[in-house]
Amino acid sequence: MQRREFIQTGARFAAGAMFMGFGGSKLFGGAPVSRPGPTGSIESITLNNGIPMPILGFGTLYLNEDLGVRCVADAISLGYRLIDTATVYGNEASVGAGIKKSGINREELFVTSKLWVDDSGYEKAKKAFQTSLDKLGLDYLDLYLIHRPRGEVKASWKAMEELYKEGKIRAIGVSNFEDKHLEELLSYASIKPAVNQIESHAFFQQDKANQSLKQYGIQMEAWSPLAQGRNRHFTNETLAAIGEKYHKTNAQVSLRWHYQRGIVAIPRSSQKAHMIENLNVFDFELDASDIKKIDSLDLNITQFPEWE
Ligand SMILES: NC(=O)c1ccc[n+]([C@@H]2O[C@H](COP(=O)([O-])OP(=O)(O)OC[C@H]3O[C@@H](n4cnc5c(N)ncnc54)[C@H](OP(=O)(O)O)[C@@H]3O)[C@@H](O)[C@H]2O)c1
Protein backbone atom coordinates (compact mmCIF):
# COMPACT_ATOMS: atom_id res chain seq x y z
CA MET A 1 0.00 0.00 0.00
CA GLN A 2 1.30 3.45 -0.93
CA ARG A 3 1.57 5.69 2.13
CA ARG A 4 0.45 9.24 1.61
CA GLU A 5 2.75 11.95 2.77
CA PHE A 6 2.16 12.73 6.39
CA ILE A 7 2.25 16.25 7.73
CA GLN A 8 4.47 14.91 10.46
CA THR A 9 7.27 12.80 9.09
CA GLY A 10 7.89 9.89 11.40
CA ALA A 11 11.22 9.03 9.84
CA ARG A 12 12.80 12.34 10.76
CA PHE A 13 12.15 11.85 14.40
CA ALA A 14 11.92 8.08 14.68
CA ALA A 15 15.41 8.00 16.16
CA GLY A 16 13.99 9.86 19.14
CA ALA A 17 12.20 6.70 20.21
CA MET A 18 15.54 5.29 21.34
CA PHE A 19 18.03 7.24 23.33
CA MET A 20 20.94 7.24 25.71
CA GLY A 21 20.42 7.19 29.46
CA PHE A 22 21.78 9.78 31.84
CA GLY A 23 25.54 9.95 31.81
CA GLY A 24 25.59 8.42 28.34
CA SER A 25 25.06 4.85 29.54
CA LYS A 26 24.41 2.56 26.64
CA LEU A 27 20.92 1.20 26.32
CA PHE A 28 19.69 -1.83 24.45
CA GLY A 29 19.25 -1.76 20.73
CA GLY A 30 18.75 1.72 19.40
CA ALA A 31 20.05 4.82 17.70
CA PRO A 32 20.91 7.07 20.65
CA VAL A 33 19.52 10.57 21.05
CA SER A 34 19.68 12.37 24.39
CA ARG A 35 17.16 15.07 25.24
CA PRO A 36 16.12 16.73 28.47
CA GLY A 37 12.52 16.41 29.62
CA PRO A 38 10.20 19.40 29.88
CA THR A 39 11.57 20.06 33.37
CA GLY A 40 15.02 18.65 32.78
CA SER A 41 14.58 16.12 35.63
CA ILE A 42 12.92 13.20 33.87
CA GLU A 43 14.36 12.35 30.50
CA SER A 44 12.16 12.78 27.44
CA ILE A 45 11.82 10.92 24.18
CA THR A 46 10.94 12.89 21.05
CA LEU A 47 7.66 12.12 19.33
CA ASN A 48 7.37 11.92 15.53
CA ASN A 49 6.27 15.56 15.36
CA GLY A 50 9.26 16.79 17.38
CA ILE A 51 7.42 17.17 20.70
CA PRO A 52 9.30 15.95 23.80
CA MET A 53 7.44 13.51 26.04
CA PRO A 54 8.73 12.38 29.46
CA ILE A 55 9.77 8.71 29.43
CA LEU A 56 8.19 8.19 32.85
CA GLY A 57 4.85 9.59 33.94
CA PHE A 58 2.02 9.23 36.40
CA GLY A 59 -1.16 7.17 35.80
CA THR A 60 -4.43 8.22 37.41
CA LEU A 61 -6.86 5.35 36.85
CA TYR A 62 -9.02 4.89 40.00
CA LEU A 63 -7.59 8.10 41.54
CA ASN A 64 -10.88 9.98 41.82
CA GLU A 65 -12.30 12.84 43.85
CA ASP A 66 -10.07 14.10 46.70
CA LEU A 67 -7.71 11.17 46.33
CA GLY A 68 -7.05 12.20 42.72
CA VAL A 69 -6.43 15.83 43.67
CA ARG A 70 -4.00 14.87 46.41
CA CYS A 71 -2.13 12.24 44.36
CA VAL A 72 -1.71 14.42 41.28
CA ALA A 73 -0.46 17.35 43.39
CA ASP A 74 1.92 15.01 45.25
CA ALA A 75 3.19 13.43 42.05
CA ILE A 76 3.94 16.82 40.50
CA SER A 77 5.63 18.04 43.68
CA LEU A 78 7.87 14.95 43.56
CA GLY A 79 8.92 15.59 39.96
CA TYR A 80 6.41 13.79 37.72
CA ARG A 81 5.59 15.90 34.68
CA LEU A 82 3.57 13.51 32.49
CA ILE A 83 0.05 13.05 33.86
CA ASP A 84 -2.21 10.47 32.19
CA THR A 85 -5.98 10.66 32.53
CA ALA A 86 -9.02 9.78 30.41
CA THR A 87 -12.65 10.82 30.14
CA VAL A 88 -13.79 7.33 31.13
CA TYR A 89 -11.79 7.48 34.41
CA GLY A 90 -14.23 10.17 35.56
CA ASN A 91 -11.40 12.10 37.23
CA GLU A 92 -10.42 14.87 34.83
CA ALA A 93 -11.76 17.51 37.23
CA SER A 94 -9.74 16.02 40.10
CA VAL A 95 -6.64 15.81 37.93
CA GLY A 96 -7.15 19.44 36.94
CA ALA A 97 -7.58 20.45 40.57
CA GLY A 98 -4.42 18.54 41.47
CA ILE A 99 -2.49 20.36 38.75
CA LYS A 100 -3.81 23.68 40.05
CA LYS A 101 -2.97 22.75 43.63
CA SER A 102 0.61 21.89 42.63
CA GLY A 103 1.13 25.49 41.48
CA ILE A 104 3.31 24.34 38.58
CA ASN A 105 3.51 26.29 35.31
CA ARG A 106 1.34 24.67 32.67
CA GLU A 107 4.19 24.52 30.12
CA GLU A 108 6.20 22.31 32.43
CA LEU A 109 3.60 19.55 32.27
CA PHE A 110 2.72 16.96 29.67
CA VAL A 111 -0.99 16.19 30.09
CA THR A 112 -2.69 13.30 28.29
CA SER A 113 -6.39 12.53 28.07
CA LYS A 114 -8.39 10.10 25.95
CA LEU A 115 -11.53 10.11 23.87
CA TRP A 116 -13.92 7.41 25.06
CA VAL A 117 -15.78 5.13 22.65
CA ASP A 118 -19.21 6.69 23.42
CA ASP A 119 -17.88 10.05 22.25
CA SER A 120 -16.59 8.81 18.89
CA GLY A 121 -17.67 10.69 15.77
CA TYR A 122 -16.71 14.06 14.30
CA GLU A 123 -18.96 16.43 16.28
CA LYS A 124 -19.02 14.26 19.40
CA ALA A 125 -15.22 14.05 19.52
CA LYS A 126 -14.87 17.81 19.27
CA LYS A 127 -17.39 18.31 22.02
CA ALA A 128 -15.82 15.63 24.24
CA PHE A 129 -12.40 17.19 23.79
CA GLN A 130 -13.69 20.59 24.91
CA THR A 131 -15.42 18.98 27.89
CA SER A 132 -12.12 17.34 28.88
CA LEU A 133 -10.31 20.65 28.60
CA ASP A 134 -12.96 22.39 30.69
CA LYS A 135 -12.88 19.72 33.39
CA LEU A 136 -9.10 19.82 33.50
CA GLY A 137 -9.15 23.64 33.54
CA LEU A 138 -6.63 23.75 30.69
CA ASP A 139 -6.64 25.41 27.30
CA TYR A 140 -4.64 22.75 25.47
CA LEU A 141 -3.61 19.11 25.86
CA ASP A 142 -0.17 17.73 25.16
CA LEU A 143 -1.54 14.40 23.98
CA TYR A 144 -5.05 13.24 23.12
CA LEU A 145 -5.65 9.57 22.37
CA ILE A 146 -8.47 7.54 20.88
CA HIS A 147 -8.95 5.25 23.88
CA ARG A 148 -10.03 2.11 22.03
CA PRO A 149 -10.31 1.17 18.33
CA ARG A 150 -14.08 1.11 18.44
CA GLY A 151 -16.87 3.37 17.20
CA GLU A 152 -16.40 5.96 14.47
CA VAL A 153 -12.63 6.05 14.50
CA LYS A 154 -12.25 7.75 11.11
CA ALA A 155 -14.52 10.65 12.00
CA SER A 156 -12.93 11.02 15.43
CA TRP A 157 -9.47 11.13 13.90
CA LYS A 158 -10.55 13.87 11.47
CA ALA A 159 -11.79 15.95 14.40
CA MET A 160 -8.56 15.35 16.29
CA GLU A 161 -6.46 16.30 13.26
CA GLU A 162 -8.34 19.60 13.09
CA LEU A 163 -7.88 20.28 16.80
CA TYR A 164 -4.20 19.49 16.39
CA LYS A 165 -3.88 21.91 13.47
CA GLU A 166 -5.65 24.58 15.51
CA GLY A 167 -2.95 24.13 18.20
CA LYS A 168 -5.31 22.79 20.85
CA ILE A 169 -3.46 19.47 21.07
CA ARG A 170 0.32 19.17 20.77
CA ALA A 171 0.24 15.52 19.67
CA ILE A 172 -2.50 13.06 18.76
CA GLY A 173 -2.43 9.31 19.08
CA VAL A 174 -4.24 6.10 19.84
CA SER A 175 -4.53 3.47 22.54
CA ASN A 176 -5.12 -0.28 22.38
CA PHE A 177 -4.66 -0.30 18.60
CA GLU A 178 -3.33 -3.46 16.97
CA ASP A 179 -1.50 -3.45 13.63
CA LYS A 180 -4.72 -3.98 11.68
CA HIS A 181 -6.31 -0.93 13.34
CA LEU A 182 -3.22 1.18 12.67
CA GLU A 183 -3.10 0.08 9.02
CA GLU A 184 -6.68 1.15 8.56
CA LEU A 185 -6.16 4.49 10.28
CA LEU A 186 -3.00 5.16 8.27
CA SER A 187 -4.92 4.56 5.04
CA TYR A 188 -6.90 7.78 5.56
CA ALA A 189 -4.96 9.79 8.13
CA SER A 190 -3.20 12.97 7.09
CA ILE A 191 -1.44 13.05 10.46
CA LYS A 192 0.26 9.93 11.73
CA PRO A 193 -0.43 8.98 15.38
CA ALA A 194 2.47 10.00 17.61
CA VAL A 195 1.77 7.40 20.32
CA ASN A 196 0.06 4.06 20.83
CA GLN A 197 -0.67 3.42 24.53
CA ILE A 198 -1.00 -0.33 25.08
CA GLU A 199 -0.83 -2.85 27.89
CA SER A 200 2.79 -3.78 28.60
CA HIS A 201 4.53 -5.25 31.63
CA ALA A 202 6.76 -8.20 32.51
CA PHE A 203 3.95 -10.70 31.91
CA PHE A 204 2.71 -9.25 28.60
CA GLN A 205 5.73 -7.59 27.11
CA GLN A 206 4.44 -6.80 23.61
CA ASP A 207 7.80 -6.96 21.86
CA LYS A 208 6.17 -7.64 18.51
CA ALA A 209 3.93 -4.61 18.87
CA ASN A 210 6.91 -2.52 19.93
CA GLN A 211 8.93 -3.57 16.87
CA SER A 212 5.98 -2.87 14.63
CA LEU A 213 5.39 0.57 16.18
CA LYS A 214 9.05 1.42 15.65
CA GLN A 215 8.59 0.63 11.94
CA TYR A 216 5.63 3.00 11.85
CA GLY A 217 7.58 5.68 13.76
CA ILE A 218 4.96 5.62 16.54
CA GLN A 219 6.04 5.76 20.19
CA MET A 220 4.88 2.90 22.41
CA GLU A 221 3.55 3.85 25.83
CA ALA A 222 2.95 1.13 28.45
CA TRP A 223 -0.27 1.10 30.45
CA SER A 224 -0.33 -0.92 33.67
CA PRO A 225 3.49 -1.03 33.54
CA LEU A 226 3.45 -2.81 36.93
CA ALA A 227 0.62 -5.13 35.84
CA GLN A 228 -1.40 -3.52 38.64
CA GLY A 229 0.44 -5.99 40.87
CA ARG A 230 -1.38 -8.91 39.23
CA ASN A 231 0.34 -12.27 38.91
CA ARG A 232 2.16 -11.38 42.16
CA HIS A 233 4.32 -8.87 40.34
CA PHE A 234 5.59 -7.23 43.51
CA THR A 235 6.83 -10.53 44.99
CA ASN A 236 7.92 -12.21 41.77
CA GLU A 237 11.14 -14.09 42.54
CA THR A 238 12.88 -13.41 39.25
CA LEU A 239 12.36 -9.66 39.57
CA ALA A 240 13.33 -9.80 43.25
CA ALA A 241 16.60 -11.64 42.50
CA ILE A 242 17.51 -9.04 39.89
CA GLY A 243 16.54 -6.23 42.27
CA GLU A 244 18.71 -7.65 45.03
CA LYS A 245 21.80 -7.09 42.84
CA TYR A 246 21.06 -3.37 42.60
CA HIS A 247 19.22 -2.84 45.90
CA LYS A 248 16.03 -2.13 43.98
CA THR A 249 12.44 -3.32 44.35
CA ASN A 250 10.43 -5.33 41.83
CA ALA A 251 8.61 -2.16 40.78
CA GLN A 252 11.90 -0.40 40.15
CA VAL A 253 13.29 -3.32 38.14
CA SER A 254 10.17 -3.31 35.96
CA LEU A 255 10.23 0.44 35.44
CA ARG A 256 13.94 0.39 34.63
CA TRP A 257 13.23 -2.38 32.12
CA HIS A 258 10.57 -0.26 30.37
CA TYR A 259 13.00 2.66 30.31
CA GLN A 260 15.80 0.62 28.79
CA ARG A 261 13.38 -0.56 26.09
CA GLY A 262 12.69 3.09 25.23
CA ILE A 263 9.04 2.75 26.25
CA VAL A 264 7.11 5.45 28.07
CA ALA A 265 5.64 4.07 31.33
CA ILE A 266 2.95 5.64 33.51
CA PRO A 267 2.83 3.85 36.88
CA ARG A 268 0.03 4.87 39.21
CA SER A 269 0.30 5.11 42.96
CA SER A 270 -1.77 6.53 45.79
CA GLN A 271 1.21 6.45 48.14
CA LYS A 272 3.93 9.05 48.23
CA ALA A 273 6.57 6.46 49.14
CA HIS A 274 5.71 4.43 46.02
CA MET A 275 5.67 7.56 43.85
CA ILE A 276 9.22 8.31 45.02
CA GLU A 277 10.31 4.71 44.61
CA ASN A 278 8.99 4.64 41.05
CA LEU A 279 10.97 7.74 40.11
CA ASN A 280 14.14 6.28 41.54
CA VAL A 281 15.07 4.14 38.55
CA PHE A 282 17.72 6.18 36.77
CA ASP A 283 20.75 5.24 38.87
CA PHE A 284 21.26 1.62 37.87
CA GLU A 285 21.35 -0.40 34.71
CA LEU A 286 20.02 -3.87 33.92
CA ASP A 287 22.52 -6.00 32.07
CA ALA A 288 21.89 -8.42 29.23
CA SER A 289 21.48 -11.40 31.58
CA ASP A 290 18.86 -9.50 33.63
CA ILE A 291 16.96 -8.65 30.47
CA LYS A 292 17.04 -12.29 29.41
CA LYS A 293 15.54 -13.32 32.74
CA ILE A 294 12.79 -10.71 32.43
CA ASP A 295 12.14 -11.94 28.87
CA SER A 296 11.41 -15.37 30.34
CA LEU A 297 8.52 -13.94 32.40
CA ASP A 298 6.52 -13.09 29.28
CA LEU A 299 3.24 -15.03 29.21
CA ASN A 300 2.43 -13.24 25.96
CA ILE A 301 -1.19 -12.77 26.91
CA THR A 302 -3.19 -9.92 28.40
CA GLN A 303 -3.51 -9.93 32.19
CA PHE A 304 -6.69 -7.85 31.87
CA PRO A 305 -9.06 -10.14 29.93
CA GLU A 306 -12.04 -8.32 31.45
CA TRP A 307 -11.11 -5.19 29.47
CA GLU A 308 -10.84 -6.98 26.10
N1 LIG B 1 -5.21 3.17 27.74
C1 LIG B 1 -5.75 2.24 28.49
O1 LIG B 1 -6.62 1.47 28.06
C2 LIG B 1 -5.29 2.10 29.93
C3 LIG B 1 -5.66 0.97 30.68
C4 LIG B 1 -5.18 0.88 31.99
C5 LIG B 1 -4.39 1.87 32.53
N2 LIG B 1 -4.07 2.98 31.79
C6 LIG B 1 -3.21 4.04 32.36
O2 LIG B 1 -2.02 3.43 32.86
C7 LIG B 1 -1.84 3.81 34.22
C8 LIG B 1 -1.08 2.76 34.99
O3 LIG B 1 -1.77 1.53 35.00
P1 LIG B 1 -2.60 0.98 36.26
O4 LIG B 1 -3.03 2.12 37.08
O5 LIG B 1 -3.65 0.09 35.70
O6 LIG B 1 -1.60 0.03 37.03
P2 LIG B 1 -0.04 0.04 37.45
O7 LIG B 1 0.54 1.40 37.38
O8 LIG B 1 0.62 -1.07 36.70
O9 LIG B 1 -0.16 -0.44 38.96
C9 LIG B 1 -0.79 0.34 39.93
C10 LIG B 1 -0.81 -0.46 41.24
O10 LIG B 1 0.53 -0.74 41.65
C11 LIG B 1 0.71 -0.29 42.99
N3 LIG B 1 2.07 0.26 43.07
C12 LIG B 1 2.55 1.33 42.40
N4 LIG B 1 3.86 1.50 42.69
C13 LIG B 1 4.20 0.54 43.57
C14 LIG B 1 5.39 0.20 44.24
N5 LIG B 1 6.51 0.90 44.04
N6 LIG B 1 5.40 -0.87 45.09
C15 LIG B 1 4.26 -1.60 45.30
N7 LIG B 1 3.08 -1.32 44.69
C16 LIG B 1 3.05 -0.25 43.83
C17 LIG B 1 -0.34 0.74 43.25
O11 LIG B 1 -0.71 0.68 44.60
P3 LIG B 1 -0.47 1.93 45.61
O12 LIG B 1 -1.51 2.94 45.25
O13 LIG B 1 -0.66 1.31 46.95
O14 LIG B 1 0.92 2.42 45.38
C18 LIG B 1 -1.49 0.25 42.37
O15 LIG B 1 -2.26 -0.71 43.06
C19 LIG B 1 -3.27 4.03 34.70
O16 LIG B 1 -3.31 4.67 35.96
C20 LIG B 1 -3.84 4.80 33.54
O17 LIG B 1 -3.43 6.15 33.58
C21 LIG B 1 -4.51 3.09 30.50
Side-chain angles (χ1 to χ4, degrees):
M1 182 183 61
Q2 271 303 87
R3 288 258 186 284
R4 79 177 61 178
E5 263 198 78
F6 290 102
I7 287 180
Q8 300 157 304
T9 53
R12 214 167 98 214
F13 294 104
M18 297 306 293
F19 50 85
M20 295 282 272
F22 285 134
S25 63
K26 206 167 176 45
L27 298 178
F28 294 89
V33 178
S34 185
R35 294 175 203 280
T39 61
S41 56
I42 295 177
E43 193 172 337
S44 286
I45 49 88
T46 303
L47 299 179
N48 63 17
N49 64 348
I51 298 291
M53 176 178 188
I55 187 88
L56 183 63
F58 187 71
T60 67
L61 177 65
Y62 306 138
L63 301 179
N64 293 64
E65 309 300 334
D66 289 351
L67 177 68
V69 181
R70 197 258 297 159
C71 290
V72 168
D74 282 349
I76 293 170
S77 76
L78 293 169
Y80 289 89
R81 293 295 176 264
L82 189 184
I83 309 292
D84 183 87
T85 181
T87 297
V88 77
Y89 302 168
N91 66 358
E92 288 170 310
S94 301
V95 168
I99 291 171
K100 202 168 170 203
K101 186 176 173 193
S102 77
I104 196 162
N105 288 331
R106 169 68 183 95
E107 318 81 70
E108 290 188 48
L109 288 181
F110 188 104
V111 182
T112 304
S113 193
K114 312 184 194 85
L115 177 77
W116 186 238
V117 179
D118 296 346
D119 296 320
S120 78
Y122 179 80
E123 293 297 343
K124 279 165 108 179
K126 286 210 166 172
K127 200 168 160 221
F129 171 75
Q130 190 56 49
T131 304
S132 288
L133 275 191
D134 293 345
K135 286 191 173 162
L136 284 159
L138 302 176
D139 53 10
Y140 69 93
L141 281 186
D142 296 276
L143 181 64
Y144 195 48
L145 306 175
I146 294 186
H147 205 141
R148 291 201 170 263
R150 302 208 308 260
E152 294 178 45
V153 172
K154 186 174 179 179
S156 299
W157 192 252
K158 186 170 187 283
M160 287 166 61
E161 288 182 333
E162 288 180 10
L163 292 163
Y164 172 79
K165 288 175 192 165
E166 288 163 21
K168 292 185 175 154
I169 314 172
R170 296 180 74 223
I172 53 177
V174 295
S175 179
N176 301 301
F177 273 47
E178 296 170 18
D179 274 4
K180 62 182 180 199
H181 305 120
L182 283 170
E183 280 296 327
E184 191 180 339
L185 185 141
L186 291 171
S187 73
Y188 54 73
S190 67
I191 298 173
K192 179 155 63 168
V195 169
N196 188 12
Q197 186 184 109
I198 58 176
E199 177 185 351
S200 179
H201 43 73
F203 309 121
F204 187 33
Q205 304 191 1
Q206 299 258 40
D207 278 339
K208 217 169 139 223
N210 189 23
Q211 291 311 321
S212 167
L213 288 169
K214 274 186 201 157
Q215 301 285 321
Y216 287 123
I218 297 171
Q219 175 64 41
M220 175 166 152
E221 181 177 19
W223 63 250
S224 298
L226 305 174
Q228 268 188 20
R230 289 185 186 194
N231 229 354
R232 299 199 208 141
H233 176 280
F234 299 122
T235 51
N236 179 277
E237 285 175 10
T238 302
L239 296 175
I242 295 169
E244 210 171 307
K245 279 169 52 181
Y246 307 104
H247 308 290
K248 294 290 177 182
T249 64
N250 285 17
Q252 289 170 320
V253 170
S254 271
L255 293 172
R256 178 72 200 188
W257 169 75
H258 285 295
Y259 168 72
Q260 288 189 200
R261 297 199 302 161
I263 290 170
V264 177
I266 44 171
R268 176 234 329 164
S269 180
S270 57
Q271 302 186 49
K272 242 177 156 175
H274 286 165
M275 293 178 199
I276 294 167
E277 185 179 315
N278 296 346
L279 280 178
N280 205 356
V281 297
F282 299 111
D283 58 353
F284 74 112
E285 187 169 329
L286 301 170
D287 64 28
S289 73
D290 301 327
I291 301 288
K292 212 168 156 198
K293 284 178 198 146
I294 298 173
D295 283 351
S296 74
L297 298 177
D298 195 3
L299 302 170
N300 200 23
I301 189 162
T302 178
Q303 298 301 297
F304 297 87
E306 72 274 26
W307 290 348
E308 283 292 283

